[in-house]
Short mmCIF file of all heavy atoms in Angstrom, two decimals:
data_model
loop_
_atom_site.label_atom_id
_atom_site.label_comp_id
_atom_site.label_asym_id
_atom_site.label_seq_id
_atom_site.Cartn_x
_atom_site.Cartn_y
_atom_site.Cartn_z
N MET A 1 30.01 31.45 0.15
CA MET A 1 28.75 32.17 0.16
C MET A 1 28.78 33.24 1.24
O MET A 1 29.33 33.03 2.31
CB MET A 1 27.58 31.23 0.45
CG MET A 1 27.25 30.24 -0.63
SD MET A 1 25.81 29.24 -0.20
CE MET A 1 24.59 30.02 -1.19
N THR A 2 28.15 34.33 0.94
CA THR A 2 28.06 35.40 1.94
C THR A 2 26.95 35.06 2.93
O THR A 2 26.12 34.18 2.69
CB THR A 2 27.75 36.75 1.27
OG1 THR A 2 26.42 36.69 0.73
CG2 THR A 2 28.75 37.10 0.20
N GLU A 3 26.94 35.80 4.02
CA GLU A 3 25.91 35.57 5.04
C GLU A 3 24.52 35.82 4.46
O GLU A 3 23.58 35.06 4.74
CB GLU A 3 26.14 36.47 6.25
CG GLU A 3 25.16 36.21 7.37
CD GLU A 3 25.45 37.01 8.62
OE1 GLU A 3 26.62 37.34 8.88
OE2 GLU A 3 24.48 37.30 9.33
N GLN A 4 24.40 36.84 3.64
CA GLN A 4 23.11 37.16 3.03
C GLN A 4 22.65 36.02 2.11
O GLN A 4 21.47 35.64 2.12
CB GLN A 4 23.19 38.46 2.25
CG GLN A 4 21.86 38.92 1.70
CD GLN A 4 21.96 40.25 0.98
OE1 GLN A 4 23.05 40.77 0.77
NE2 GLN A 4 20.83 40.81 0.61
N GLU A 5 23.56 35.46 1.35
CA GLU A 5 23.22 34.34 0.47
C GLU A 5 22.81 33.12 1.28
O GLU A 5 21.88 32.40 0.91
CB GLU A 5 24.41 33.99 -0.43
CG GLU A 5 24.71 35.03 -1.48
CD GLU A 5 26.01 34.77 -2.22
OE1 GLU A 5 26.94 34.18 -1.65
OE2 GLU A 5 26.09 35.18 -3.39
N LEU A 6 23.52 32.89 2.39
CA LEU A 6 23.16 31.76 3.26
C LEU A 6 21.77 31.94 3.86
O LEU A 6 21.00 30.99 3.95
CB LEU A 6 24.19 31.60 4.38
CG LEU A 6 25.49 30.94 3.99
CD1 LEU A 6 26.48 30.98 5.15
CD2 LEU A 6 25.25 29.50 3.57
N ARG A 7 21.44 33.16 4.24
CA ARG A 7 20.11 33.43 4.81
C ARG A 7 19.01 33.23 3.76
O ARG A 7 17.95 32.67 4.07
CB ARG A 7 20.05 34.83 5.40
CG ARG A 7 20.88 34.97 6.66
CD ARG A 7 20.66 36.30 7.36
NE ARG A 7 21.59 36.46 8.47
CZ ARG A 7 21.47 35.86 9.66
NH1 ARG A 7 20.46 35.07 9.90
NH2 ARG A 7 22.37 36.07 10.61
N LYS A 8 19.28 33.61 2.52
CA LYS A 8 18.31 33.39 1.45
C LYS A 8 18.14 31.89 1.20
O LYS A 8 17.03 31.40 1.00
CB LYS A 8 18.75 34.09 0.16
CG LYS A 8 18.54 35.58 0.18
CD LYS A 8 18.97 36.21 -1.14
CE LYS A 8 18.80 37.72 -1.09
NZ LYS A 8 19.23 38.36 -2.34
N ARG A 9 19.26 31.19 1.17
CA ARG A 9 19.23 29.74 0.97
C ARG A 9 18.47 29.06 2.10
O ARG A 9 17.65 28.15 1.87
CB ARG A 9 20.66 29.20 0.89
CG ARG A 9 20.77 27.71 0.78
CD ARG A 9 20.45 27.24 -0.61
NE ARG A 9 20.65 25.80 -0.68
CZ ARG A 9 19.82 24.98 -1.27
NH1 ARG A 9 18.79 25.43 -1.93
NH2 ARG A 9 20.05 23.69 -1.27
N LEU A 10 18.70 29.52 3.33
CA LEU A 10 18.02 28.97 4.50
C LEU A 10 16.51 29.16 4.37
O LEU A 10 15.74 28.23 4.62
CB LEU A 10 18.54 29.64 5.78
CG LEU A 10 17.93 29.21 7.09
CD1 LEU A 10 18.17 27.73 7.34
CD2 LEU A 10 18.51 30.04 8.23
N GLU A 11 16.08 30.33 3.98
CA GLU A 11 14.65 30.61 3.82
C GLU A 11 14.04 29.73 2.73
O GLU A 11 12.95 29.19 2.90
CB GLU A 11 14.42 32.09 3.50
CG GLU A 11 12.97 32.48 3.53
CD GLU A 11 12.27 32.21 4.84
OE1 GLU A 11 12.89 32.34 5.91
OE2 GLU A 11 11.07 31.84 4.80
N ALA A 12 14.77 29.56 1.63
CA ALA A 12 14.27 28.71 0.54
C ALA A 12 14.14 27.26 1.00
O ALA A 12 13.15 26.58 0.67
CB ALA A 12 15.21 28.80 -0.66
N LEU A 13 15.10 26.78 1.78
CA LEU A 13 15.04 25.41 2.30
C LEU A 13 13.87 25.23 3.25
O LEU A 13 13.18 24.21 3.23
CB LEU A 13 16.35 25.05 3.00
CG LEU A 13 17.57 24.87 2.10
CD1 LEU A 13 18.83 24.69 2.94
CD2 LEU A 13 17.39 23.71 1.15
N LYS A 14 13.63 26.25 4.09
CA LYS A 14 12.51 26.17 5.03
C LYS A 14 11.17 26.13 4.29
O LYS A 14 10.26 25.39 4.68
CB LYS A 14 12.54 27.35 6.00
CG LYS A 14 13.61 27.21 7.06
CD LYS A 14 13.58 28.39 8.01
CE LYS A 14 14.60 28.24 9.12
NZ LYS A 14 14.54 29.34 10.09
N ILE A 15 11.05 26.91 3.23
CA ILE A 15 9.82 26.91 2.43
C ILE A 15 9.62 25.54 1.77
O ILE A 15 8.52 24.99 1.81
CB ILE A 15 9.86 28.03 1.37
CG1 ILE A 15 9.75 29.39 2.06
CG2 ILE A 15 8.76 27.84 0.33
CD1 ILE A 15 10.04 30.57 1.16
N GLU A 16 10.69 25.00 1.21
CA GLU A 16 10.59 23.68 0.58
C GLU A 16 10.23 22.61 1.62
O GLU A 16 9.43 21.71 1.34
CB GLU A 16 11.91 23.33 -0.12
CG GLU A 16 11.82 22.06 -0.92
CD GLU A 16 13.09 21.72 -1.68
OE1 GLU A 16 14.02 22.56 -1.72
OE2 GLU A 16 13.15 20.62 -2.24
N HIS A 17 10.78 22.72 2.82
CA HIS A 17 10.49 21.79 3.90
C HIS A 17 9.00 21.83 4.26
O HIS A 17 8.35 20.79 4.40
CB HIS A 17 11.36 22.13 5.12
CG HIS A 17 11.31 21.12 6.21
ND1 HIS A 17 10.43 21.22 7.26
CD2 HIS A 17 12.03 19.99 6.42
CE1 HIS A 17 10.62 20.21 8.07
NE2 HIS A 17 11.59 19.45 7.59
N ARG A 18 8.45 23.05 4.38
CA ARG A 18 7.01 23.20 4.67
C ARG A 18 6.16 22.64 3.53
O ARG A 18 5.13 22.00 3.77
CB ARG A 18 6.67 24.67 4.91
CG ARG A 18 7.05 25.17 6.28
CD ARG A 18 6.43 26.52 6.59
NE ARG A 18 6.79 27.54 5.62
CZ ARG A 18 7.79 28.40 5.77
NH1 ARG A 18 8.54 28.36 6.85
NH2 ARG A 18 8.04 29.30 4.85
N ASP A 19 6.59 22.89 2.30
CA ASP A 19 5.85 22.38 1.14
C ASP A 19 5.83 20.85 1.13
O ASP A 19 4.81 20.24 0.81
CB ASP A 19 6.45 22.91 -0.16
CG ASP A 19 6.20 24.40 -0.37
OD1 ASP A 19 5.36 24.98 0.37
OD2 ASP A 19 6.85 24.98 -1.26
N LEU A 20 6.96 20.26 1.46
CA LEU A 20 7.02 18.79 1.52
C LEU A 20 6.11 18.26 2.61
O LEU A 20 5.45 17.23 2.45
CB LEU A 20 8.45 18.31 1.75
CG LEU A 20 9.34 18.27 0.53
CD1 LEU A 20 10.77 17.93 0.92
CD2 LEU A 20 8.83 17.25 -0.48
N ASP A 21 6.07 18.96 3.73
CA ASP A 21 5.18 18.58 4.82
C ASP A 21 3.73 18.56 4.33
O ASP A 21 2.99 17.61 4.60
CB ASP A 21 5.34 19.58 5.97
CG ASP A 21 5.19 18.95 7.33
OD1 ASP A 21 5.18 17.71 7.43
OD2 ASP A 21 5.06 19.71 8.30
N ALA A 22 3.34 19.59 3.61
CA ALA A 22 1.99 19.68 3.07
C ALA A 22 1.74 18.57 2.05
O ALA A 22 0.65 17.97 2.01
CB ALA A 22 1.75 21.05 2.46
N ALA A 23 2.73 18.28 1.21
CA ALA A 23 2.58 17.23 0.20
C ALA A 23 2.42 15.86 0.85
O ALA A 23 1.60 15.05 0.40
CB ALA A 23 3.78 17.24 -0.74
N ILE A 24 3.18 15.61 1.89
CA ILE A 24 3.09 14.33 2.59
C ILE A 24 1.71 14.19 3.23
O ILE A 24 1.08 13.13 3.15
CB ILE A 24 4.21 14.20 3.65
CG1 ILE A 24 5.57 14.06 2.96
CG2 ILE A 24 3.95 13.02 4.58
CD1 ILE A 24 6.76 14.24 3.88
N GLU A 25 1.24 15.25 3.82
CA GLU A 25 -0.09 15.23 4.45
C GLU A 25 -1.17 15.02 3.40
O GLU A 25 -2.11 14.24 3.61
CB GLU A 25 -0.35 16.53 5.22
CG GLU A 25 -1.69 16.57 5.91
CD GLU A 25 -1.92 15.43 6.89
OE1 GLU A 25 -0.96 15.00 7.56
OE2 GLU A 25 -3.08 14.95 6.99
N ALA A 26 -1.06 15.69 2.26
CA ALA A 26 -2.05 15.53 1.19
C ALA A 26 -2.04 14.11 0.64
O ALA A 26 -3.10 13.53 0.36
CB ALA A 26 -1.77 16.53 0.06
N LEU A 27 -0.86 13.54 0.50
CA LEU A 27 -0.74 12.16 0.03
C LEU A 27 -1.38 11.20 1.02
O LEU A 27 -2.09 10.27 0.63
CB LEU A 27 0.74 11.82 -0.19
CG LEU A 27 1.07 10.55 -0.93
CD1 LEU A 27 0.50 10.57 -2.35
CD2 LEU A 27 2.58 10.37 -1.00
N SER A 28 -1.16 11.43 2.29
CA SER A 28 -1.76 10.58 3.33
C SER A 28 -3.28 10.71 3.33
O SER A 28 -4.00 9.72 3.44
CB SER A 28 -1.22 10.96 4.71
OG SER A 28 0.14 10.68 4.81
N GLU A 29 -3.76 11.94 3.19
CA GLU A 29 -5.21 12.18 3.16
C GLU A 29 -5.85 11.51 1.95
O GLU A 29 -6.90 10.89 2.07
CB GLU A 29 -5.50 13.69 3.15
CG GLU A 29 -6.96 14.03 3.18
CD GLU A 29 -7.69 13.54 4.42
OE1 GLU A 29 -7.08 13.49 5.50
OE2 GLU A 29 -8.89 13.19 4.31
N ALA A 30 -5.20 11.62 0.81
CA ALA A 30 -5.71 10.97 -0.40
C ALA A 30 -5.75 9.45 -0.21
O ALA A 30 -6.69 8.78 -0.65
CB ALA A 30 -4.85 11.34 -1.60
N GLY A 31 -4.74 8.94 0.47
CA GLY A 31 -4.69 7.51 0.74
C GLY A 31 -5.81 7.06 1.66
O GLY A 31 -6.39 5.98 1.49
N ARG A 32 -6.13 7.89 2.62
CA ARG A 32 -7.23 7.54 3.54
C ARG A 32 -8.56 7.54 2.80
O ARG A 32 -9.44 6.73 3.09
CB ARG A 32 -7.28 8.51 4.71
CG ARG A 32 -6.17 8.29 5.74
CD ARG A 32 -6.40 9.07 7.01
NE ARG A 32 -6.15 10.49 6.85
CZ ARG A 32 -4.96 11.08 6.99
NH1 ARG A 32 -3.92 10.33 7.29
NH2 ARG A 32 -4.82 12.37 6.82
N GLN A 33 -8.72 8.43 1.85
CA GLN A 33 -9.97 8.53 1.11
C GLN A 33 -10.12 7.41 0.07
O GLN A 33 -11.22 6.91 -0.14
CB GLN A 33 -10.09 9.89 0.42
CG GLN A 33 -10.26 11.03 1.40
CD GLN A 33 -10.29 12.39 0.72
OE1 GLN A 33 -10.16 12.48 -0.49
NE2 GLN A 33 -10.46 13.43 1.52
N THR A 34 -9.03 7.05 -0.57
CA THR A 34 -9.10 6.05 -1.63
C THR A 34 -8.78 4.64 -1.14
O THR A 34 -9.07 3.67 -1.84
CB THR A 34 -8.12 6.39 -2.78
OG1 THR A 34 -6.79 6.36 -2.27
CG2 THR A 34 -8.43 7.74 -3.38
N GLY A 35 -8.13 4.54 -0.01
CA GLY A 35 -7.73 3.23 0.50
C GLY A 35 -6.39 2.78 -0.05
O GLY A 35 -5.94 1.68 0.23
N PHE A 36 -5.77 3.61 -0.87
CA PHE A 36 -4.46 3.27 -1.44
C PHE A 36 -3.47 4.37 -1.10
O PHE A 36 -3.66 5.53 -1.46
CB PHE A 36 -4.55 3.13 -2.97
CG PHE A 36 -3.21 2.95 -3.62
CD1 PHE A 36 -2.54 1.74 -3.56
CD2 PHE A 36 -2.61 4.00 -4.29
CE1 PHE A 36 -1.30 1.58 -4.15
CE2 PHE A 36 -1.36 3.85 -4.88
CZ PHE A 36 -0.72 2.63 -4.81
N VAL A 37 -2.41 3.98 -0.42
CA VAL A 37 -1.36 4.94 -0.08
C VAL A 37 -0.12 4.58 -0.90
O VAL A 37 0.34 3.43 -0.87
CB VAL A 37 -1.02 4.88 1.43
CG1 VAL A 37 0.12 5.81 1.76
CG2 VAL A 37 -2.24 5.22 2.27
N ASP A 38 0.39 5.54 -1.63
CA ASP A 38 1.61 5.34 -2.40
C ASP A 38 2.79 5.44 -1.43
O ASP A 38 3.34 6.51 -1.21
CB ASP A 38 1.71 6.39 -3.51
CG ASP A 38 2.87 6.12 -4.46
OD1 ASP A 38 3.71 5.24 -4.14
OD2 ASP A 38 2.93 6.78 -5.50
N GLN A 39 3.12 4.30 -0.84
CA GLN A 39 4.15 4.29 0.20
C GLN A 39 5.52 4.66 -0.34
O GLN A 39 6.31 5.30 0.36
CB GLN A 39 4.19 2.93 0.88
CG GLN A 39 2.95 2.68 1.71
CD GLN A 39 3.01 1.33 2.41
OE1 GLN A 39 3.84 0.48 2.08
NE2 GLN A 39 2.13 1.14 3.37
N LEU A 40 5.81 4.28 -1.56
CA LEU A 40 7.12 4.60 -2.13
C LEU A 40 7.26 6.12 -2.30
O LEU A 40 8.29 6.69 -1.92
CB LEU A 40 7.30 3.91 -3.48
CG LEU A 40 8.65 4.11 -4.16
CD1 LEU A 40 9.78 3.61 -3.28
CD2 LEU A 40 8.67 3.40 -5.50
N GLN A 41 6.24 6.75 -2.83
CA GLN A 41 6.28 8.20 -2.99
C GLN A 41 6.35 8.89 -1.63
O GLN A 41 7.11 9.84 -1.45
CB GLN A 41 5.04 8.68 -3.76
CG GLN A 41 4.99 10.18 -3.98
CD GLN A 41 6.10 10.69 -4.89
OE1 GLN A 41 6.76 9.93 -5.59
NE2 GLN A 41 6.32 11.97 -4.88
N GLN A 42 5.58 8.40 -0.69
CA GLN A 42 5.59 8.98 0.65
C GLN A 42 6.97 8.84 1.29
O GLN A 42 7.48 9.78 1.91
CB GLN A 42 4.53 8.29 1.50
CG GLN A 42 4.14 9.05 2.73
CD GLN A 42 2.95 8.41 3.43
OE1 GLN A 42 2.81 7.19 3.44
NE2 GLN A 42 2.10 9.24 3.98
N GLN A 43 7.59 7.69 1.11
CA GLN A 43 8.93 7.45 1.65
C GLN A 43 9.96 8.39 1.02
O GLN A 43 10.82 8.93 1.71
CB GLN A 43 9.33 6.00 1.43
CG GLN A 43 10.63 5.61 2.08
CD GLN A 43 10.96 4.14 1.86
OE1 GLN A 43 10.45 3.52 0.92
NE2 GLN A 43 11.80 3.60 2.70
N ARG A 44 9.85 8.60 -0.28
CA ARG A 44 10.77 9.50 -0.97
C ARG A 44 10.62 10.94 -0.47
O ARG A 44 11.62 11.64 -0.28
CB ARG A 44 10.53 9.46 -2.48
CG ARG A 44 11.02 8.21 -3.13
CD ARG A 44 10.70 8.20 -4.60
NE ARG A 44 11.21 6.98 -5.21
CZ ARG A 44 10.76 6.49 -6.34
NH1 ARG A 44 9.81 7.11 -7.01
NH2 ARG A 44 11.27 5.39 -6.84
N LEU A 45 9.38 11.37 -0.28
CA LEU A 45 9.14 12.72 0.22
C LEU A 45 9.70 12.89 1.63
O LEU A 45 10.31 13.91 1.95
CB LEU A 45 7.64 13.04 0.20
CG LEU A 45 7.00 13.20 -1.17
CD1 LEU A 45 5.49 13.37 -1.03
CD2 LEU A 45 7.61 14.34 -1.95
N LYS A 46 9.50 11.89 2.47
CA LYS A 46 10.00 11.96 3.84
C LYS A 46 11.53 11.98 3.87
O LYS A 46 12.14 12.70 4.66
CB LYS A 46 9.47 10.80 4.67
CG LYS A 46 8.01 10.95 5.01
CD LYS A 46 7.50 9.79 5.85
CE LYS A 46 6.06 9.97 6.24
NZ LYS A 46 5.58 8.87 7.09
N LYS A 47 12.15 11.21 2.98
CA LYS A 47 13.60 11.18 2.91
C LYS A 47 14.15 12.54 2.48
O LYS A 47 15.12 13.05 3.03
CB LYS A 47 14.05 10.09 1.92
CG LYS A 47 15.48 9.68 2.04
CD LYS A 47 15.75 8.55 1.07
CE LYS A 47 16.32 7.40 1.82
NZ LYS A 47 16.71 6.29 0.95
N ARG A 48 13.50 13.14 1.49
CA ARG A 48 13.90 14.47 1.02
C ARG A 48 13.72 15.50 2.14
O ARG A 48 14.56 16.37 2.33
CB ARG A 48 13.06 14.86 -0.22
CG ARG A 48 13.28 16.26 -0.69
CD ARG A 48 14.64 16.44 -1.31
NE ARG A 48 14.79 17.82 -1.76
CZ ARG A 48 15.92 18.49 -1.68
NH1 ARG A 48 17.01 17.92 -1.23
NH2 ARG A 48 15.98 19.73 -2.07
N LYS A 49 12.63 15.36 2.88
CA LYS A 49 12.36 16.28 3.98
C LYS A 49 13.46 16.18 5.05
O LYS A 49 13.91 17.19 5.59
CB LYS A 49 10.99 15.97 4.59
CG LYS A 49 10.53 16.96 5.61
CD LYS A 49 9.14 16.61 6.09
CE LYS A 49 8.85 17.35 7.37
NZ LYS A 49 7.66 16.86 8.03
N LEU A 50 13.91 14.98 5.34
CA LEU A 50 14.99 14.79 6.32
C LEU A 50 16.30 15.41 5.84
O LEU A 50 17.04 16.02 6.62
CB LEU A 50 15.19 13.31 6.63
CG LEU A 50 14.15 12.67 7.53
CD1 LEU A 50 14.38 11.17 7.62
CD2 LEU A 50 14.18 13.29 8.92
N LYS A 51 16.58 15.26 4.54
CA LYS A 51 17.80 15.87 3.99
C LYS A 51 17.73 17.40 4.11
O LYS A 51 18.71 18.04 4.46
CB LYS A 51 17.98 15.48 2.53
CG LYS A 51 18.44 14.06 2.35
CD LYS A 51 18.65 13.74 0.88
CE LYS A 51 19.06 12.30 0.70
NZ LYS A 51 19.28 11.97 -0.72
N LEU A 52 16.55 17.95 3.83
CA LEU A 52 16.37 19.39 3.97
C LEU A 52 16.58 19.83 5.41
O LEU A 52 17.21 20.85 5.68
CB LEU A 52 14.98 19.81 3.50
CG LEU A 52 14.74 19.77 2.01
CD1 LEU A 52 13.27 20.05 1.71
CD2 LEU A 52 15.61 20.77 1.28
N LYS A 53 16.05 19.05 6.33
CA LYS A 53 16.19 19.37 7.76
C LYS A 53 17.67 19.41 8.14
O LYS A 53 18.10 20.31 8.88
CB LYS A 53 15.45 18.34 8.60
CG LYS A 53 15.43 18.64 10.08
CD LYS A 53 14.62 17.61 10.83
CE LYS A 53 14.67 17.88 12.31
NZ LYS A 53 13.92 16.86 13.07
N ASP A 54 18.44 18.47 7.65
CA ASP A 54 19.89 18.44 7.93
C ASP A 54 20.59 19.67 7.33
O ASP A 54 21.46 20.27 7.97
CB ASP A 54 20.52 17.17 7.38
CG ASP A 54 20.13 15.92 8.16
OD1 ASP A 54 19.62 16.06 9.30
OD2 ASP A 54 20.31 14.81 7.63
N GLN A 55 20.20 20.04 6.11
CA GLN A 55 20.80 21.21 5.48
C GLN A 55 20.44 22.48 6.24
O GLN A 55 21.29 23.36 6.44
CB GLN A 55 20.34 21.32 4.02
CG GLN A 55 20.89 20.26 3.13
CD GLN A 55 20.32 20.32 1.72
OE1 GLN A 55 19.35 21.02 1.45
NE2 GLN A 55 20.93 19.57 0.80
N ILE A 56 19.19 22.57 6.67
CA ILE A 56 18.74 23.73 7.45
C ILE A 56 19.54 23.83 8.74
O ILE A 56 20.03 24.90 9.10
CB ILE A 56 17.22 23.63 7.73
CG1 ILE A 56 16.43 23.86 6.44
CG2 ILE A 56 16.80 24.63 8.81
CD1 ILE A 56 14.95 23.52 6.55
N ALA A 57 19.69 22.71 9.42
CA ALA A 57 20.43 22.69 10.69
C ALA A 57 21.88 23.11 10.48
O ALA A 57 22.44 23.85 11.28
CB ALA A 57 20.35 21.31 11.32
N ALA A 58 22.48 22.64 9.40
CA ALA A 58 23.89 22.98 9.13
C ALA A 58 24.05 24.47 8.88
O ALA A 58 24.99 25.10 9.41
CB ALA A 58 24.39 22.18 7.93
N ILE A 59 23.16 25.05 8.11
CA ILE A 59 23.25 26.49 7.84
C ILE A 59 22.98 27.29 9.11
O ILE A 59 23.69 28.27 9.39
CB ILE A 59 22.29 26.90 6.71
CG1 ILE A 59 22.75 26.28 5.39
CG2 ILE A 59 22.22 28.43 6.58
CD1 ILE A 59 21.79 26.48 4.23
N GLU A 60 21.98 26.88 9.88
CA GLU A 60 21.68 27.59 11.13
C GLU A 60 22.86 27.51 12.09
O GLU A 60 23.19 28.49 12.76
CB GLU A 60 20.42 27.02 11.77
CG GLU A 60 19.16 27.42 11.07
CD GLU A 60 17.90 26.82 11.66
OE1 GLU A 60 17.98 25.79 12.34
OE2 GLU A 60 16.83 27.40 11.41
N ASP A 61 23.49 26.35 12.16
CA ASP A 61 24.66 26.21 13.03
C ASP A 61 25.80 27.12 12.59
O ASP A 61 26.52 27.68 13.41
CB ASP A 61 25.16 24.76 13.06
CG ASP A 61 24.25 23.84 13.86
OD1 ASP A 61 23.37 24.36 14.60
OD2 ASP A 61 24.40 22.62 13.73
N TYR A 62 25.95 27.27 11.29
CA TYR A 62 27.00 28.14 10.76
C TYR A 62 26.69 29.61 11.06
O TYR A 62 27.56 30.37 11.45
CB TYR A 62 27.16 27.93 9.25
CG TYR A 62 28.22 28.80 8.65
CD1 TYR A 62 29.57 28.45 8.75
CD2 TYR A 62 27.89 29.98 8.00
CE1 TYR A 62 30.55 29.26 8.21
CE2 TYR A 62 28.88 30.80 7.46
CZ TYR A 62 30.20 30.44 7.57
OH TYR A 62 31.17 31.24 7.04
N LEU A 63 25.42 29.99 10.86
CA LEU A 63 25.03 31.38 11.07
C LEU A 63 24.94 31.76 12.54
O LEU A 63 25.23 32.90 12.91
CB LEU A 63 23.67 31.67 10.39
CG LEU A 63 23.67 31.65 8.87
CD1 LEU A 63 22.25 31.79 8.36
CD2 LEU A 63 24.55 32.75 8.31
N LEU A 64 24.56 30.80 13.38
CA LEU A 64 24.42 31.05 14.82
C LEU A 64 25.28 30.06 15.58
O LEU A 64 24.78 29.08 16.14
CB LEU A 64 22.95 30.89 15.25
CG LEU A 64 21.95 31.78 14.52
CD1 LEU A 64 20.52 31.33 14.82
CD2 LEU A 64 22.14 33.22 14.91
N PRO A 65 26.58 30.29 15.61
CA PRO A 65 27.47 29.33 16.29
C PRO A 65 27.14 29.23 17.77
O PRO A 65 26.70 30.19 18.39
CB PRO A 65 28.86 29.89 16.05
CG PRO A 65 28.67 31.31 15.69
CD PRO A 65 27.29 31.44 15.11
N ASP A 66 27.34 28.04 18.30
CA ASP A 66 27.09 27.79 19.72
C ASP A 66 28.27 28.32 20.53
O ASP A 66 29.33 27.73 20.56
CB ASP A 66 26.93 26.28 19.93
CG ASP A 66 26.22 25.94 21.21
OD1 ASP A 66 25.51 26.82 21.75
OD2 ASP A 66 26.36 24.80 21.67
N ILE A 67 28.05 29.46 21.17
CA ILE A 67 29.12 30.12 21.92
C ILE A 67 28.96 29.79 23.41
O ILE A 67 27.92 30.06 24.00
CB ILE A 67 29.09 31.64 21.72
CG1 ILE A 67 29.31 31.97 20.26
CG2 ILE A 67 30.14 32.32 22.60
CD1 ILE A 67 29.13 33.45 19.92
N ILE A 68 29.97 29.18 23.96
CA ILE A 68 29.95 28.87 25.39
C ILE A 68 30.68 29.99 26.11
O ILE A 68 31.87 30.23 25.90
CB ILE A 68 30.62 27.51 25.67
CG1 ILE A 68 29.88 26.42 24.93
CG2 ILE A 68 30.67 27.25 27.17
CD1 ILE A 68 30.54 25.05 25.02
N ALA A 69 29.95 30.67 26.99
CA ALA A 69 30.54 31.81 27.69
C ALA A 69 31.09 31.39 29.02
O ALA A 69 30.67 30.50 29.67
CB ALA A 69 29.50 32.91 27.88
#
């Protein structure tokens, strides 16, 4: 992948990560209102969010290598 493609992929991952954050919050809020929290769905969303975070970190590390001067 080119650097430009990696940057586009990084932005898409960040957007998906934010969307998952909002979905998890909405699910939690709905659970507080109804008294029922779909823990399995919430767990799946959190797991996906963690995978995205790892992918984001990997791309950022590749694009911005840690240079020790």
Side-chain angles (χ1 to χ4, degrees):
M1 290 182 103
T2 67
E3 184 175 330
Q4 185 178 8
E5 290 172 331
L6 282 173
R7 290 188 187 283
K8 285 182 182 179
R9 176 77 176 136
L10 179 61
E11 188 57 35
L13 290 173
K14 285 181 177 183
I15 290 169
E16 187 177 351
H17 189 267
R18 282 193 302 265
D19 290 347
L20 279 174
D21 214 12
I24 291 167
E25 181 57 36
L27 192 61
S28 294
E29 183 61 33
R32 286 191 286 273
Q33 292 177 359
T34 63
F36 173 75
V37 177
D38 187 350
Q39 291 181 346
L40 182 60
Q41 180 66 14
Q42 198 172 35
Q43 186 178 22
R44 287 178 179 159
L45 291 174
K46 287 181 178 182
K47 197 177 235 184
R48 174 70 180 143
K49 188 177 164 192
L50 284 173
K51 286 182 182 181
L52 288 173
K53 185 177 177 182
D54 289 344
Q55 290 175 348
I56 289 168
I59 292 173
E60 286 178 338
D61 286 348
Y62 180 80
L63 291 174
L64 303 168
D66 200 20
I67 299 173
I68 300 174

